[in-house]
Amino acid sequence: MDFEAIKAAAEGHKADMSRFLRDMISHPSESCQEKDVVMCIKAEMEKLGFDKVEIDGLGNVIGWMGEGEKIIAIDSHIDTVGIGNINNWEADPYQGYETEDVIYGRGGSDQEGGMASAVYGAKIMRDLNLIPAGYKIMVVGSVQEEDCDGMCWQYIYNKDHIRPEFVISTEPTDGGIYRGHRGRMEIRVDVKGVSCHGSAPNRGDNAIFKMADILQDIRALNENGDGPSNTVKGLVKMLNPDFNPQHYQDAQFLGRGTCTVSEIFFTSPSRCAVADSCSVSVDRRMTAGETWESCLQEIRDLPSVKKYGEDVKVSMYMYDRPSWTGEVYETECFFPTWINKESAAHVQALIDAHHAMFGDKRIGHSDADPKYDAMHLREGRPLTDKWTFSTNCVSIQGRYGIPCVGFGPGAESQAHAPNEITWKQDLVTCAALYAAVPGLYKEENKDADVSQFRQSLTDNVIL
């Protein structure tokens, strides 16, 4: 394989990738509103001569290169979060600017930059004849990830009936190759009360006061240690072999679980009445060794929850927002934890490609201005690591066991932040690596089970 030719081809597309990324950013594309960016991507794929470009029923845009039966997929979610307070942005988040080195705007790192690199990586594969015999390349612009990560691939798996050999996620990896991440759940806690006139609150049962007690225990669950003095043992306990004997090493790799309250709701007859219900949403990040049942049960076991007994309900959210096409794919808000073996053939293909073209250390743009410097987040970190946040791989590998691995332009720290940027050098690096990977994948080294850890699923039937 001519690695220098691959690198030169990627560098030659730097201006095109930068222009394409800015085009995508110019189309606001929050979850369920991705139509305009889907059409932008479809047009770019058609212009570059993809063999086939299609939009599935959910609204995912899929481009194909090659004629083989086996599929190597490259996934980029193309929805973004909103912009938050516009006063926190120094320029228009959808028009932005570019310098010689960076591109500014919502979605640059999270994660339309990955789409730019994937599309041009596939073009390089075709132009340099890098698609192995028997394989075809699937480039996916997936929707609704920010709303419900992995649901788009549940649709691809269950409705489109597509089963790739493995999938490269282009979520931002700070120059690293990522082989896993924690899972997550969206949990709801509902508390019942009894309303009465606010002038005599003793006549009622204030649901907000009851929830206040529960909130303190949820906070303790996140912040406490796991020692004998802690009535509520903190989630850090899963790093301890005494509490997690089978999976504490995997948990130490992924990092401890966390929980935080993300939303609060109430009902009350008026502002001069006692609240008769209160509910909160809990964002729960799960490490190895935790199950969906254990995460619900540990909230049910909190002292304050037990104190209020049947007045408290702890449950898992379901998701059913219509996509931009109007399609509804209902699923549970449970996103399983997963880790690959570092020795897995598909992980090694990326490692081998990186070593051959860029060495065994993370690379990226260095800049005297800390605002534009990438390397302060990358130096000293292992090349092969894991994400902090969650990706579509929760379904691809977490649910369905299709091997996943991550390498994408940009930085996790830019995700969901104002003044988001990504680096042009990353676009080039990623496009080159994607182009080299299919030819370096050693199918004969494929293991029947690439997973080092995969979380158990619920007993809900999700079709």
Side-chain angles (χ1 to χ4, degrees):
M1 186 177 293
D2 189 340
F3 294 112
E4 292 305 315
I6 295 172
K7 289 164 67 176
E11 187 65 37
H13 290 305
K14 183 177 182 179
D16 288 326
M17 287 188 285
S18 300
R19 184 263 313 151
F20 179 34
L21 176 54
R22 293 205 67 191
D23 285 349
M24 286 187 281
I25 289 171
S26 73
H27 300 291
S29 54
E30 292 181 40
S31 295
C32 309
Q33 301 172 41
E34 302 98 338
K35 181 178 180 179
D36 288 347
V37 78
V38 164
M39 297 307 170
C40 171
I41 294 163
K42 181 175 182 287
E44 190 77 10
M45 288 176 167
E46 290 172 342
K47 183 181 79 174
L48 295 180
F50 273 66
D51 294 326
K52 182 181 179 182
V53 184
E54 57 188 333
I55 298 170
D56 72 6
L58 192 70
N60 301 304
V61 57
I62 303 173
W64 299 92
M65 286 281 200
E67 300 298 329
E69 292 299 314
K70 295 179 181 177
I71 299 167
I72 295 173
I74 309 175
D75 177 63
S76 311
H77 78 77
I78 53 174
D79 59 321
T80 73
V81 295
I83 60 173
N85 184 349
I86 188 63
N87 295 320
N88 290 332
W89 291 78
E90 64 185 28
D92 187 319
Y94 298 117
Q95 295 302 319
Y97 60 83
E98 64 180 297
T99 70
E100 187 176 341
D101 303 306
V102 305
I103 294 172
Y104 175 102
R106 175 55 85 219
S109 272
D110 188 22
Q111 60 110 166
E112 290 166 348
M115 188 80 243
S117 293
V119 167
Y120 278 85
K123 174 178 169 53
I124 294 167
M125 289 181 214
R126 185 199 59 197
D127 291 349
L128 299 184
N129 196 28
L130 296 172
I131 302 174
Y135 282 86
K136 57 187 170 186
I137 306 302
M138 175 189 186
V139 178
V140 183
S142 49
V143 297
Q144 289 176 268
E145 189 272 352
E146 296 291 3
D147 246 19
C148 188
D149 27 331
M151 183 273 286
C152 46
W153 270 89
Q154 291 177 248
Y155 192 94
I156 289 169
Y157 184 91
N158 290 315
K159 303 297 186 182
D160 298 339
H161 305 293
I162 295 172
R163 311 282 194 273
E165 186 84 358
F166 68 90
V167 179
I168 302 171
S169 169
T170 69
E171 288 268 16
T173 60
D174 288 293
I177 295 166
Y178 286 179
R179 62 184 181 95
H181 60 67
R182 297 176 300 167
R184 72 181 189 92
M185 289 178 69
E186 295 177 4
I187 297 172
R188 183 178 173 107
V189 182
D190 293 285
V191 178
K192 293 190 294 186
V194 178
S195 63
C196 69
H197 199 283
S199 64
N202 55 297
R203 296 174 183 163
D205 185 13
N206 196 314
I208 291 176
F209 285 169
K210 293 157 85 171
M211 183 63 81
D213 291 343
I214 294 170
L215 291 178
Q216 291 304 313
D217 279 355
I218 292 174
R219 183 175 182 176
L221 190 63
N222 189 65
E223 297 180 0
N224 280 5
D226 60 5
S229 63
N230 296 114
T231 303
V232 175
K233 298 286 190 289
L235 298 179
V236 70
K237 65 182 181 287
M238 299 305 284
L239 306 183
N240 185 336
D242 291 342
F243 292 95
N244 190 15
Q246 286 186 291
H247 300 295
Y248 72 93
Q249 290 174 311
D250 292 331
Q252 289 172 356
F253 169 70
L254 292 177
R256 50 158 291 183
T258 59
C259 62
T260 190
V261 174
S262 55
E263 296 176 316
I264 189 164
F265 320 96
F266 72 94
T267 60
S268 176
S270 77
R271 287 199 299 269
C272 51
V274 164
D276 54 15
S277 79
C278 189
S279 304
V280 296
S281 303
V282 178
D283 180 292
R284 177 66 161 89
R285 304 288 157 152
M286 303 174 293
T287 195
E290 296 177 316
T291 68
W292 68 278
E293 293 168 300
S294 72
C295 292
L296 293 174
Q297 192 59 45
E298 68 193 354
I299 294 180
R300 292 174 180 141
D301 288 341
L302 292 173
S304 55
V305 173
K306 286 187 169 181
K307 174 183 173 182
Y308 296 119
E310 293 184 359
D311 287 345
V312 185
K313 178 184 176 184
V314 180
S315 61
M316 180 168 59
Y317 277 99
M318 298 293 289
Y319 180 84
D320 62 357
R321 274 187 82 191
S323 75
W324 70 264
T325 66
E327 184 87 352
V328 174
Y329 187 95
E330 185 174 4
T331 191
E332 58 195 8
C333 294
F334 167 62
F335 312 95
T337 308
W338 62 281
I339 313 172
N340 271 301
K341 297 171 182 173
E342 190 166 356
S343 60
H346 68 295
V347 177
Q348 283 300 309
L350 270 73
I351 294 171
D352 291 346
H354 198 285
H355 285 187
M357 291 190 286
F358 309 115
D360 62 357
K361 303 286 191 300
R362 298 185 187 216
I363 65 168
H365 175 68
S366 297
D367 203 295
D369 185 341
K371 183 169 74 170
Y372 297 132
D373 180 60
M375 289 308 296
H376 74 284
L377 296 169
R378 302 181 182 186
E379 288 178 318
R381 294 174 63 187
L383 177 63
T384 307
D385 207 355
K386 80 284 183 182
W387 281 286
T388 299
F389 58 32
S390 180
T391 74
N392 280 332
C393 300
V394 294
S395 285
I396 304 168
Q397 183 158 343
R399 283 187 180 274
Y400 303 123
I402 297 169
C404 282
V405 62
F407 188 75
E412 280 195 72
S413 61
Q414 294 294 319
H416 303 189
N419 304 308
E420 182 178 355
I421 62 168
T422 201
W423 293 270
K424 294 180 179 180
Q425 180 182 341
D426 282 3
L427 301 179
V428 172
T429 299
C430 290
L433 187 135
Y434 301 152
V437 161
L440 295 175
Y441 175 60
K442 297 181 174 63
E443 186 181 350
E444 65 272 18
N445 293 340
K446 182 174 66 172
D447 194 320
D449 183 10
V450 302
S451 294
Q452 181 170 305
F453 176 86
R454 234 175 102 208
Q455 194 171 32
S456 59
L457 302 182
T458 72
D459 53 6
N460 292 329
V461 178
I462 307 292
L463 299 175

